[in-house]
């Protein structure tokens, strides 16, 4: 119902990431174009990749609103902690609360096991808690990985409506934002849906792929669920990863990894539904609350079996990159109205 079933299946395994490999890729990320600049040209993670790797829906309303003060900005709004008590049946101890966040371990301990005699309403309470933890750990993780933000409360208030939002574009917007931040030499920690980034690398770069992972199912990121990176010196692994990227040639990149018969055998048909598939090549905005990024797929048309033409000039969105929602809350659909219009008109920008 929520469109998160396939993502939930990924949550059954702990994903280890190769931080050195991801760091080497971030060094080749260009915030101006939202592409990795490689020796053979440009490539990037697109909405198509999110659909195949995580099994998330693409078409839908943007994930936006505000970060706090729901009572002022939302219809029938009420203070965040009043909503919290209504949705979860109780408030966490004050020691587990910090501003608009709750300690992740409190959610995990409180809602770990569903009671055997649970009513329908209790099931919904536990489902909300699980989805909140899913968002915090899988899709929208930040550097404060041990805390759960309350920004999603308005969405959890109505589980029936949760599936009408574009969680795929929101996740990609957040990954793009984290990659753009990572290009700053003063940023030392990785954040975002890193299992998406790592799975994309392994599927598209065979020479960088670990051996022994030939079996897979849907979603495709589950292929690497048991992968464990080497534990030798991180600095040495980073140098090796940089050298491996320097040596890449055009035949070392798989432009269309999802066209194989093996992938077709495991893909779920809803991922290929027209309303989602047609947006794979939409040059449009990606929205996740205050994070606004640009899906500039006109620079990577060979990833869609296309012939690369001269792309449009890169947008200057430095102003957007400087915004993170801090310093006074806003109703983002109004504050970023122009960029929301781009998403509303997304079907007009399909290549």
């Amino acid at each position: 119902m929520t469109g998160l079933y396939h993502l939930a299946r990924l949550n059954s395994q702990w994903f280890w990431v190769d931080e050195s490999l991801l760091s080497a890729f971030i060094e080749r990320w260009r915030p101006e174009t939202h592409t990795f600049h490689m020796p053979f040209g440009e490539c990037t993670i697109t909405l198509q990749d999110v659909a195949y790797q995580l099994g998330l829906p693409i078409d839908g309303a943007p994930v936006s609103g505000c970060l706090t003060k729901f009572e002022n900005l939302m219809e029938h709004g009420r203070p965040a902690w009043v909503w919290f008590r209504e949705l979860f049946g109780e408030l966490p101890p004050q020691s587990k609360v910090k501003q608009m966040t709750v300690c992740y371990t409190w959610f995990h301990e409180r809602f770990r096991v569903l009671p055997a005699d649970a009513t329908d309403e209790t099931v919904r309470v536990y489902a909300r808690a699980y989805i909140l933890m899913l968002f915090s750990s899988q899709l929208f993780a930040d550097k404060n990985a041990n805390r759960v933000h309350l920004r999603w409360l308005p969405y959890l208030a109505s589980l029936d409506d949760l599936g009408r939002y574009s969680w795929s574009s929101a996740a990609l917007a957040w990954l793009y934002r984290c990659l753009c931040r990572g290009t700053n030499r003063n940023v030392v920690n990785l954040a975002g849906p890193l299992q998406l980034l790592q799975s994309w690398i392994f599927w598209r770069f065979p020479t960088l792929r670990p051996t022994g992972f030939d079996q897979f199912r849907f979603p495709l990121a589950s292929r690497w669920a048991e992968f464990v990176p080497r534990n030798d010196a991180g600095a040495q692994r980073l140098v090796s990863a940089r050298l491996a990227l320097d040596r890449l040639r055009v035949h070392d990149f798989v432009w269309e990894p999802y066209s194989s018969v093996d992938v077709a055998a495991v893909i779920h048909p809803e991922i290929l539904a027209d309303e989602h598939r047609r947006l794979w090549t939409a040059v449009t905005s990606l929205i996740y609350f205050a994070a606004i990024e640009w899906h500039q797929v006109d620079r990577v048309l060979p990833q869609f079996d296309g012939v690369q033409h001269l792309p449009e000039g890169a947008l200057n969105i430095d102003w957007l990159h400087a915004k993170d929602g801090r310093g006074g809350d806003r109703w983002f659909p109004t504050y970023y109205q122009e960029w929301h219009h781009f998403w509303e008109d997304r079907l007009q920008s399909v290549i």
Side-chain angles (χ1 to χ4, degrees):
M1 180 178 67
T2 63
L4 303 172
Y5 171 69
H6 301 299
L7 180 70
R9 295 178 66 198
L10 282 178
N11 204 37
S12 64
Q13 296 275 358
W14 176 262
F15 277 75
W16 292 95
V17 295
D18 187 335
E19 296 179 1
S20 298
L21 179 63
L22 301 190
S23 295
F25 267 83
I26 290 174
E27 291 174 350
R28 288 183 170 273
W29 179 259
R30 297 304 305 180
E32 304 90 340
T33 59
H34 294 118
T35 57
F36 295 103
H37 282 211
M38 296 295 178
F40 57 80
E42 293 179 76
C43 57
T44 196
I45 306 169
T46 70
L47 289 172
Q48 180 195 38
D49 295 302
V50 185
Y52 276 96
Q53 298 293 340
L54 303 184
L56 288 173
I58 295 176
D59 199 22
V63 178
S64 188
C66 60
L67 301 182
T68 60
K69 297 183 180 178
F70 304 137
E71 69 274 22
N72 295 333
L73 299 174
M74 296 204 65
E75 185 179 2
H76 307 303
R78 64 208 78 170
W81 294 109
V82 174
W83 267 30
F84 191 99
R85 185 191 292 273
E86 290 185 14
L87 296 178
F88 299 104
E90 63 182 272
L91 291 175
Q94 197 59 40
S95 61
K96 302 294 184 179
V97 174
K98 182 179 180 181
Q99 295 179 333
M100 297 296 292
T101 65
V102 179
C103 185
Y104 185 96
T105 56
W106 180 83
F107 272 99
H108 189 262
E109 294 167 0
R110 172 64 183 81
F111 298 103
R112 169 184 265 174
V113 180
L114 183 70
D117 58 348
T119 64
D120 288 347
E121 180 53 35
T122 301
V123 171
R124 294 176 76 84
V125 168
Y126 275 69
R128 292 188 191 105
Y130 178 78
I131 291 171
L132 202 61
M133 290 188 288
L134 199 64
F135 285 161
S136 300
S137 62
Q138 292 280 359
L139 287 188
F140 307 114
D142 56 21
K143 296 176 184 179
N144 211 358
N146 62 340
R147 308 200 70 84
V148 177
H149 202 281
L150 303 189
R151 60 169 61 95
W152 300 294
L153 287 186
Y155 294 91
L156 297 173
S158 178
L159 291 178
D160 295 337
D161 293 332
L162 206 59
R164 71 180 187 88
Y165 295 96
S166 176
W167 298 106
S168 181
S169 64
L172 190 57
W174 183 236
L175 177 59
Y176 278 8
R177 176 56 57 90
C178 292
L179 289 172
C180 291
R181 286 177 175 172
T183 61
N184 187 324
R185 63 183 298 175
N186 297 318
V187 173
V188 296
N189 293 326
L190 303 178
L194 299 180
Q195 78 275 24
L196 168 61
L197 173 59
Q198 180 163 277
S199 186
W200 177 84
I201 293 171
F202 288 163
W203 272 91
R204 293 202 178 254
F205 295 86
T207 59
L208 305 177
R209 180 184 303 167
T211 58
F213 295 89
D214 299 325
Q215 301 297 320
F216 57 86
R217 63 186 190 279
F218 190 78
L220 299 186
S222 63
R223 180 176 181 177
W224 324 104
E226 298 180 1
F227 165 73
V228 178
R230 303 197 320 267
N231 59 0
D232 50 345
Q236 180 180 346
R237 285 190 289 126
L238 178 57
V239 172
S240 298
R242 287 170 174 163
L243 185 59
L245 297 190
D246 288 342
R247 292 173 172 172
L248 288 174
R249 296 297 178 263
V250 67
H251 60 270
D252 295 321
F253 183 74
V254 182
W255 293 96
E256 296 179 81
Y258 312 127
S259 60
S260 71
V261 175
D262 292 338
V263 171
V266 301
I267 196 72
H268 279 237
E270 69 266 21
I271 299 303
L272 304 178
D274 286 344
E275 64 266 27
H276 301 302
R277 187 173 185 172
R278 63 191 177 187
L279 295 179
W280 292 350
T281 56
V283 181
T284 186
S285 56
L286 302 170
I287 299 170
Y288 171 59
F289 289 98
I292 310 291
E293 298 293 340
W294 195 246
H295 192 236
Q296 198 155 335
V297 291
D298 60 324
R299 305 186 74 93
V300 293
L301 288 179
Q303 291 184 207
F304 301 95
D305 193 27
V307 177
Q308 184 61 53
H309 56 73
L310 187 64
E312 297 292 331
L315 292 180
N316 184 348
I317 58 174
D318 289 348
W319 177 80
L320 292 173
H321 282 158
K323 302 295 181 181
D324 58 7
R326 299 176 183 175
D329 206 1
R330 302 173 178 87
W331 184 244
F332 297 125
T334 300
Y335 187 66
Y336 297 116
Q337 188 173 36
E338 174 187 358
W339 304 96
H340 280 71
H341 285 329
F342 278 121
W343 179 255
E344 292 169 5
D345 297 335
R346 55 195 177 277
L347 292 181
Q348 309 303 318
S349 61
V350 173
I351 298 176

